[in-house]
Amino acid sequence: MKKSGSLTSSSMPSRRKSSTADSRDSRFMMLPQVDLKASDEVRLDSRGHRVRSLKQLRLSSALEFVYLRDNLLSSLEGIEILKGVKVLDLSFNDFKLPGFEPLRNCIVLQQLYLAGNQITSLASLPELPNLEFLSVAQNRLKSLCMAHQPRLQVLAASRNKISTLKGFPHLPSLEHLRVEENPLLEMPHLEAASILLIGPTLKKFNDRDLNPNEAELSKQYPAHTAICIRDGWEFCSPELAADSTFSFLVEQWKNKLPQDYMVNKAYVDHPFEEDPCHCHFSFTNLGSEGELALKYQWFLGGKTPTDFVPIPEALSEVYWPKHEDVGRCLKVECTPILNGAEFPAIFAVSLPVSPGTGCPKVINLTVSGELVEGNILTGVPEIAWCGGTPGKGVASWLRRRWNGNAVVIDGAEGMEYQLTVNDINSSLVFMYTPVTDEGVKGEPQCTMTDFVKAATPSVSNVHVLGDIVEDNIIIGKGKYFGGREGLSKLQWYREKENGEFLLVLSDSMEYTLTKDDVGRHIKFVYTPVNLEGQEGESACTLTDAVKKAPPKVFNLKIVGEAREGSKVSASATVTGGTEGSSRVQWYKASSSEFKNEHELEALSTSKVSKTFRIPLGAVGYYIVAKFTPVAPDGEIGEPAYAISDGVVETSFPFLVAALPPSLNFLTVTGEFCEGQILTGSYGYIGGHEGKSLYCWHLHETEDDEGSPASEASGSLQYHVSKEAIGKFVSFKCTPIRDDGIVGEARAFIGKDRVTPGMPTLLSLEVTGEAIEGKTMAASKRYWGGEEGDTMFRWILASSDGTEKEIEGATSSLYTLKCDDIGFYIFVLCKPVRNDGVHGSLVSTKMIGPIIPGPPTCQSLELAGSMVEGGRLTFHAEYTGGLRGSCIQEWFRLHGDGRKEKLTADEYLDLDLADVDCRIELVYTPIREDGLQGSPRSVISDTILPGEPKGVNLILPECFEDNEISPIKTYFGGKEGTGKYTWFRNKEKPDNLEFDLIAASSELVGETLKYKLSLDDVGSYLVLYWVPTRYDGKTGDPVMAITDDPVMAAFPSVSDVHLEQKNSDIYCGLGIYYGGYEGSSLYRWYRESSDGTRIHIDGADSVTYEVMDADYSCRLLFGYTPVRSDGITGEEKLSEPSDVILPEPLKIETLVFKGNQVERETLTVIEQIPSSEVQQHIWNNYKNEMKYQWFVSSGSGENQSFEPLATQCSRSYKVRFEDIGRCVKCECFVTDVFGRSSELVSAVTAPILAGRPKIEKLEIEGRGFHTNLYAVRGTYSGGKEGKSKIQWLRSMVGSPDLISIPGEIGRMYEANVDDVGYRLVAIYTPVREDGVEGQPISVSTEPIAVEPEIYKEVKQKLDDGSVKFEVLCDKDRTPKKAQVMGHLERRVLEVNRKRIKVVKPGSKTSFPTTEVRGAYAPPFHVELYRNDQHRFKIVVDGESEVDLMVQTRHMRDVIILTIRGLAQKFNSTSLNTLLKIEA
């Protein structure tokens, strides 16, 4: 039985045995393991059976291992049934055309062998999710384009025709790729390209381990290289790849972008874990209108730039890679939007996300909150944790005055800070240092706010302290807020009986309650005021009602002798009560100090009596009086106590003998060693012991007095201190009896000197940050005598526990070095006393691991010659982890303070620009991970100039009359004024020695430049130059000679110009140069206004006569120089002449036509010269006439003329203002060439006034009978005098006019008499000299009733009968003045038939009719024009009455009502006016 997977077969045809390279290659591949002992139920082996179709075989879904190599199969039709196949060998068959779709059902297939066929494409090969091995060797494949194979580990494609990597599939698990014997191998760096396409899973390429150089090379390509390769980009070297791939992508995108837009850049920064990653897209607008907007979307891919899936909410220019993104590529799509239209997106791809450095950094730092005192500010940091675990950062707040430095605010160490009064007018600095949970600190960052403003003054918690009791002092308190407090207003008010408050005290926090306050409430008002005087809102508080004060005792004392049997009394001052009702109780006490009543022994009961006889039992005691004040109403106050000055003495003294106080023994116990406790003990005799005295002394010798140990004074114990070492200790005790008798003191001194303690470390710790460059300090507390040279040993420990001692680190300080990074550190310390005794070795805790410090430049020095032409280098001492690509920048410092950046190279070559300047080097240390440190700079001394030297000297080619300047190069500081000497020599000298040249040549100049002349032609020039520095120092001289002799100049002409001999003759001139002049050529040109020049035929001499065709043109003279030898130079033209113009137009005089009278029109007529020339010019070249009119002011010598701005025509209408003044007209004429003639003027005689006249006459007014009317018109004809005006009435439809007596003014006030009439005004203009003009009339429309009155009258007429209250004069004398006191009330009754005036009745009389009458003539109603309240009703010649009303309105209503009711007798159509039907 054959084993499954065998590589040879006895039945294999011989034609196949010689061509099984793929089989040979397979021996070296690690194939996925399959079951070699599978049963026939799952295994089919039909190798070499010449099978042409799968239908010939018995296939089933149970088969797992199918071997069909070396057959004649050309189609996979029927393979769908093999749903469980794991190994399928179809090698060496006749498969040609793509047709692998049936394999889609073989989802568990692990190994597929297709070698040795004629396959040309794998594009139809479906995605097989479990395929791990694929062999397609020995086919005709041109590319490896196929579907995504997620688990494929081995791909064998040797011996094909593969020539491109375009369409290379995504194979995220591929470990081995074989493409030997393919045209593709000619591609340079194919292995690097394969690494880029497949990714980090690739382990072998063409049966060999990956070449490290190729792997390293692949890292130099842009991140999007794999995408470009799959799209067909031609692989090239890494140096060109960035530009080449970008151009490739731009070419793909150009037809998708908005018109006239082009991509400038598209890339993504290298992403790091939890560090913001920016994308960069920019476009160039080549002329399109509108603003381009960009939309972003980030994607997350695999380890290679494939399989990208969108990241939700990642829609900005920045994305923060997460921990799970590490090792995966990022992609960002940028969608351009123009004028609302979206265009296809472009993209950029990143390298795989790198793990974070673990060192956090602050990306953005802001402070939120309003900058007003009392508000809470919050620091808001945006942190990039860079792979570290987010921890609690270190925050601090600093305060900075406008002119000072920032100062740390004590206690302000949180993210929030409440503004206080101390922050006003200061800006706050928020400093934040990010710290990970692992303890790694990032670089601190800070941000500064604007200045803090003070809050509006306010006060809160206003209250009163103290008992609200009479005679007490109460204190008003409040919590002020709002800047610095100024003189706030404090006011105390007492409540009055009516509930109001009376101000009793101001500007005081304290108030003493008085008798007047008892029973009243006290109000305390606090008005806050800041230092600037701004006042806030007041706040107040109200106390309880003031209570009456309880009785109190003052000045209590005991009067009398403290002796047995003596009488003593208690004397005191009582307030709030009476002494008579107060009570006293007597006690005895053993001490003169009163503590509390419980220690007293009563001698009596409490009595009103204040005297007391001292009993025998009080002898030897102090007596105490307890005084209890009592008010008349029985209220008891706080008792007071008084103690006698001495104890009570007996009246019969006797003496008892007692021993004096003394000591019967005295000793000290304990060890006389540093740190031990000594205890003194003694025996006392001599009565009761009082407070004996103890003291300890230290003695240098046993005999000296010693110095007291103050810390043990008064104590029986002494803790031996360091100061006692080497000294004797003594204890001294002075016995004292309880009655104060002092006995004889005794002292005890130790026999041995105090010895020091064993050297011991009480504490040991290492302080400092475990950061490279930081100094660690071992802090200890030593005990045990004087410390000697204590020993330190610094130890480094690795994470695996290995320890090593740091050589040379034997002091208490150690500065961490770069080699210590990653280790833990601790210190071993052995205390040593000054006498050499060693203590026990002590170790600290390990600190670490030590992390790299911030990159720092510890020292920076310049090296090299600081002279022009020298080269400066530098020496920098770096600390802070492994050094990266540090930045060095060279600057030039000018004397005026300017700073100029020069280069970023590692050296600087000094040149002239650096002389007298200083050079500054700014060195920025950068760690290997890219972290930058603080720059450090060093400044050189002033750069000195070099020695003066002429580097180069060349004389250019020389021509006659040219000024030559030598071409020279100077070195050596700023060049000064050198010495130049020019020589001329007919022969070219061979030796340029100065002495020879000076002797054989002619000296011709001593300046830098030399002007060649005709004399120099044919000679050689020699220049002798002594280079000189600006300070006068000279260098070695340099000489140079021309290569050729001086050449003659080419013929030329200069200063070609025109001269006008007269109005018609011009002459051309010029200065010839270039040898002797021959027959030079002359030409004349005519230049038109548009710049066109034409040659004037026949004009070939130096003079020219103007013709008509030259008008409006310019003339030019052309001069072509010709040398005597016939050499012709270049023609030179003169500047164009002025425009050729004919003689200007002239006006001889002006003449006025018309009357010189007001309102007349004056016209000017110009007279022109009669000459033929002027007549010709006027007929052919006149353009237009210009006029300006003036009016005179003043007279005689003071007469002047003012222009009339709008009067610019030939004619002028004389105005009123011109009367008596002269009028002048100025005139000039312009020709077609834009020229103007001379100004000509003429002046009139004084203007006369015209005949009076009124024009535009009208009457102004609203048209109602209550309105005022005015006549208006425009008068002309001299100054108006007293013109006449007459007002009249005109009935509608009648030509008759009714005069209104007395109305001759310009204003007329209408009344009810005018209703229905037209008002007519006749205006007769009168000049001031009395001359009258023609009268003019004007009229109004019929006068209407005022609307309000109209409504009221119409209502009364509709009623038909109405009564009015009126007033009537009691005294009917018509000439008597009417006053209100003489008037009586009347009732005016009006109806359609008659009127009646009735005198109302009274208590003593009946109503009386005074006037009665119908409306028949001569009935009428008259008005008084001088009184708007009166009117007269005339019934007939004998019956009339004068009446008065309160208002004009009422008068008008009454009159119109009467006239309306008397309609049939009215001549005025009042009914029509009022719209009343008859």
Side-chain angles (χ1 to χ4, degrees), residues 670-681:
E671 184 179 354
F672 288 84
C673 181
E674 179 189 6
Q676 300 299 317
I677 295 176
L678 300 178
T679 303
S681 59

Side-chain angles (χ1 to χ4, degrees), residues 948-950 966 968 970 974-982 1005-1009 1023-1038:
K949 181 169 62 175
K968 62 186 180 68
Y970 171 85
K974 183 178 179 181
E975 185 177 7
T977 304
K979 180 181 178 182
Y980 304 93
T981 306
W982 293 88
E1006 294 183 337
T1007 59
L1008 172 63
K1009 297 180 179 179
L1023 174 61
Y1024 176 79
W1025 172 39
V1026 180
T1028 306
R1029 203 164 60 196
Y1030 70 97
D1031 57 1
K1033 186 170 184 179
T1034 61
D1036 295 333
V1038 181

